[in-house]
Amino acid sequence: MDLAKFNFQPSVITDFMQSAIIDIGDELQLCVEVGGNPDHPPLLLIMGLGSQLVFWPDSFVKGLIDAGFFVIRFDNRDIGLSSKIARPFPRFPINNVKMMLRMQVGLTNRHFPVAYNLFDMVEDTRRLLDKLALKNVYVVGASMGGMIAQILAAKYPKRVSTLGLMFTSNNKPFLPPTKPKQLQTLLSHPKTTQIDDVVAYGVWCMQRIGSPNHVDEEEVERLIRLRFERSYHPRGALQQLQAILATGSIVKFDQKIKQPTIIIHGEKDGLVPSAHGRAIAKAIAHSEFHLIKDMGHDLAKPFIPTIVKLLADHYMKHA
């Protein structure tokens, strides 16, 4: 890949990465970071709901680079340094709880006036691959990013060689819902938009959705402050949540996936219970499921070496 073409500069976040703003068309720009040898197999990381690229831990990214991959991560639309989607608020506010309940029982939400859906975010990812002239990549998707990755692999099978999915769902109806304590994090917000309140709220959220007894509060606070400094845009997270709810079940896409797929889920994940990962494994023919004991809805430091090895071994096995 010709990095000079996109004016990549040293990242101000991570010293072994390079950063650029890339125009993917349709008046959208994505903030992209790359690391490793461009001649090595490309591995694309797709992050989850409201989470900027900074939430891929440095040790996780470095582990994949050291395993022999050229790693690409980016801010999805509506967060970080990527383009924000400015749509007028609907005349009547969208009831997110109602949308959640409808999706849970298999009813469509496609009539709700959301800003965009996951299919739009899939096209963002596909256009990014086009711009980078990457015809065939390894893909890792986490949470919402895993949903995007599933649709991407099904719709564009020649673009995704091997698939990795972490603590994600296919939103199959009647799967176990988010547990009450974790649901609170989706339906609440900081007391104010001042940085200290935003940081306190972010730490509170991670304490509830992260791996019990393994949440590094100092590191979480550092990341929340970094996210705030890069771009504080809570409407983006809301619109991404509504994109998930408006899209609904993606089981039919799982059934089309032919690529070798590894699914990794945390035993202690209350935001997306492990039954969701098992449902994906059941729906994708060529897949394997790994349950990580004591892991929640995060990439906590103690589990990173295990996850990197699982992903690297899986990808190398199917190279």
Side-chain angles (χ1 to χ4, degrees):
M1 192 178 92
D2 183 7
L3 298 185
K5 178 181 177 181
F6 301 101
N7 194 33
F8 275 95
Q9 300 294 321
S11 169
V12 298
I13 301 167
T14 306
D15 59 11
F16 55 83
M17 301 291 282
Q18 298 181 67
S19 182
I21 301 295
I22 296 180
D23 189 329
I24 62 168
D26 288 345
E27 299 182 344
L28 283 171
Q29 294 182 318
L30 299 182
C31 179
V32 182
E33 291 204 339
V34 299
N37 186 336
D39 294 329
H40 287 175
L43 190 157
L44 180 71
L45 302 176
I46 310 177
M47 192 25 101
L49 172 64
S51 296
Q52 299 181 21
L53 60 82
V54 301
F55 280 88
W56 292 108
D58 284 354
S59 59
F60 177 77
V61 176
K62 188 65 163 59
L64 291 171
I65 291 172
D66 290 345
F69 296 100
F70 178 64
V71 177
I72 305 139
R73 63 181 181 179
F74 66 101
D75 287 329
N76 283 305
R77 61 161 65 192
D78 240 1
I79 59 156
L81 301 183
S82 291
S83 296
K84 308 304 185 295
I85 309 302
R87 298 285 178 87
F89 282 108
R91 182 178 177 185
F92 300 103
I94 297 173
N95 187 323
N96 295 319
V97 174
K98 182 178 180 180
M99 290 181 77
M100 288 178 189
L101 292 173
R102 288 178 61 86
M103 187 176 78
Q104 174 71 22
V105 298
L107 296 175
T108 183
N109 285 319
R110 292 179 184 173
H111 59 286
F112 283 87
V114 298
Y116 50 87
N117 56 37
L118 292 183
F119 301 110
D120 296 309
M121 301 184 78
V122 169
E123 292 308 308
D124 293 350
T125 309
R126 192 266 306 165
R127 287 201 297 266
L128 175 60
L129 294 177
D130 288 347
K131 281 289 184 177
L132 296 175
L134 295 173
K135 295 182 179 180
N136 190 269
V137 297
Y138 299 96
V139 173
V140 177
S143 198
M144 179 191 73
M147 299 172 198
I148 294 169
Q150 290 168 69
I151 302 172
L152 181 72
K155 285 191 69 177
Y156 302 104
K158 293 182 179 180
R159 309 304 298 273
V160 179
S161 59
T162 310
L163 187 60
L165 304 171
M166 299 192 296
F167 40 86
T168 188
S169 179
N170 58 13
N171 299 323
K172 179 183 176 182
F174 301 107
L175 285 172
T178 299
K179 294 181 179 179
K181 187 168 75 170
Q182 286 76 24
L183 181 61
Q184 255 190 310
T185 66
L186 292 178
L187 302 178
S188 57
H189 52 79
K191 293 178 181 178
T192 73
T193 58
Q194 298 299 308
I195 186 167
D196 288 343
D197 285 334
V198 172
V199 168
Y201 170 74
V203 172
W204 174 83
C205 286
M206 190 53 66
Q207 287 170 334
R208 280 152 180 76
I209 70 172
S211 302
N213 305 315
H214 295 296
V215 175
D216 184 339
E217 293 187 8
E218 287 187 7
E219 177 63 6
V220 172
E221 179 173 336
R222 183 186 74 82
L223 291 174
I224 299 296
R225 289 186 181 277
L226 176 58
R227 181 178 70 177
F228 188 95
E229 290 165 4
R230 291 181 86 228
S231 173
Y232 180 59
H233 183 62
R235 182 174 177 178
L238 173 62
Q239 292 187 156
Q240 288 185 357
L241 173 61
Q242 291 171 349
I244 296 171
L245 299 176
T247 303
S249 173
I250 55 174
V251 172
K252 66 180 182 181
F253 292 95
D254 284 348
Q255 294 167 345
K256 296 178 181 178
I257 293 174
K258 305 301 181 186
Q259 299 93 323
T261 302
I262 184 170
I263 299 127
I264 299 170
H265 220 105
E267 177 198 28
K268 300 294 186 182
D269 193 337
L271 190 68
V272 182
S274 60
H276 291 242
R278 293 188 187 279
I280 297 171
K282 186 175 181 179
I284 298 177
H286 305 282
S287 65
E288 57 185 70
F289 177 79
H290 294 267
L291 187 68
I292 308 295
K293 185 179 179 182
D294 296 328
M295 189 175 92
H297 196 81
D298 64 346
L299 285 165
K301 188 175 181 179
F303 307 112
I304 287 176
T306 297
I307 296 171
V308 167
K309 187 174 189 309
L310 283 171
L311 291 170
D313 288 352
H314 177 75
Y315 293 150
M316 293 304 185
K317 181 168 63 176
H318 297 287

